[in-house]
Amino acid sequence: GSSVKQGKKRERRANNQLSRLALSALETGAGPPTEKLKVRKAMVVVATWRDRLRLLAVKRCLQGGVLVHLAASRTLQLLFGIDADLAADTKDADQSQAAEDKRIAQFRSAEREKEREKKMSKSRREKGAMMEQEDLLEVC
C-alpha cells in the first residue's frame, strides 16, 4: 500500500526534477548535470541528455541494483559505452559463464529427451495400429 504510494511519489519527484533541469538547460543553453557512476574498475560519465534519460529509464525498469546490472549485462555496457573487461569481475564472469554453459547443456539434453519420447510414443502408436489391423485380419 504505502510503499507503492511512496514509490510513485519518488518517481514523480524525480520526473519533476528532470523537467526543471531540462527547462533550465533550455533557458541557459547548458547541458544536464554530469553524473558519474563507478562500475567495478570502469567509470561511467552520464553527461548528455540522451544518456541521462537512458539511465533514468534503466533505473525505473530495474528499480534498484543498477550498478550490478551495469557490471553484468553486456547490453547495458554497450548502451552506456562501458568497457566490458573493466566492468567484469573475472571470477564472477567465469562462474557466470560456467553456469550459463550448464543451463544450455541441460536445455539441450531436455530437448533430446523430448524428441526421444516423441519417437517412442509414435512408435508405440504405430505398433498398436498394426496389431489392431492384424487382429481384424485374423477375425475376417
Side-chain angles (χ1 to χ4, degrees):
S2 67
S3 64
V4 171
K5 186 177 179 181
Q6 289 170 349
K8 293 287 184 186
K9 191 174 184 179
R10 196 175 317 119
E11 186 177 322
R12 200 169 41 250
R13 230 183 347 244
N15 285 339
N16 288 341
Q17 179 186 14
L18 189 62
S19 296
R20 282 192 302 274
L21 286 171
L23 182 59
S24 171
L26 288 173
E27 290 172 348
T28 63
T34 302
E35 185 174 347
K36 294 180 181 179
L37 302 170
K38 187 170 182 181
V39 181
R40 300 235 161 99
K41 296 177 185 172
M43 181 66 72
V44 180
V45 178
V46 180
T48 65
W49 284 110
R50 181 189 71 193
D51 288 344
R52 183 132 178 121
L53 290 172
R54 281 181 177 171
L55 182 61
L56 183 65
V58 168
K59 283 180 177 179
R60 186 176 297 142
C61 288
L62 298 176
Q63 297 184 4
V66 173
L67 293 178
V68 173
H69 286 281
L70 285 172
S73 170
R74 187 66 189 129
T75 302
L76 290 178
Q77 291 167 3
L78 290 171
L79 189 65
F80 289 101
I82 302 170
D83 184 352
D85 293 333
L86 293 176
D89 182 357
T90 55
K91 181 181 173 189
D92 289 346
D94 290 345
Q95 288 175 347
S96 177
Q97 187 61 45
E100 182 68 17
D101 291 345
K102 184 177 179 180
R103 281 192 296 272
I104 289 170
Q106 288 174 338
F107 174 77
R108 288 182 179 155
S109 176
E111 287 295 310
R112 284 193 297 272
E113 183 64 23
K114 282 182 191 176
E115 285 299 316
R116 193 181 72 73
E117 287 291 330
K118 281 183 185 178
K119 287 178 183 176
M120 292 290 290
S121 181
K122 183 178 177 183
S123 174
R124 288 183 191 120
R125 281 193 309 272
E126 289 173 351
K127 188 174 181 179
M130 285 177 46
M131 290 179 79
E132 278 184 28
Q133 288 177 351
E134 288 176 5
D135 289 345
L136 289 175
L137 290 175
E138 286 178 8
V139 171
C140 295

